[in-house]
Amino acid sequence: MAGREAAEVEYTDYQIIVIRARRDGGQLIVRILTGGNPADPARQWVFASVDEVCVLVERLLEELGGPGPRSAAVPPRGGG
């Protein structure tokens, strides 16, 4: 592709959020991993409560400048 210039990638404008869930002895275990910005270390959390997971994901999205609390991204508990 002659004539195309390679754009320099800025890594400060995004965050990778990985959510993994599994059952362990009938209990739900949710692990959340974040990363993407080489200047910041990766972070991780483990929860057994869906409510706590929702609160953390909401906070992570707010860090990225996403929608505010109780937006369409995080419906109210009970079906919203």
Side-chain angles (χ1 to χ4, degrees):
M1 305 217 154
R4 292 189 101 178
E5 294 181 28
E8 193 168 320
V9 178
E10 285 291 326
Y11 291 100
T12 58
D13 294 339
Y14 74 93
Q15 182 81 344
I16 298 169
I17 302 171
V18 177
I19 301 173
R20 295 183 177 173
R22 66 180 172 88
R23 290 235 176 246
D24 185 8
Q27 183 176 15
L28 179 66
I29 304 295
V30 180
R31 183 176 180 201
I32 299 176
L33 307 163
T34 66
N37 184 345
D40 295 326
R43 298 180 289 175
Q44 72 174 330
W45 300 265
V46 177
F47 295 101
S49 164
V50 173
D51 290 332
E52 290 177 346
V53 169
C54 289
V55 169
L56 177 64
V57 169
E58 184 174 67
R59 192 180 87 217
L60 291 172
L61 292 173
E62 287 173 354
E63 284 180 12
L64 292 172
R70 291 290 165 211
S71 67
V74 183
R77 187 90 169 139

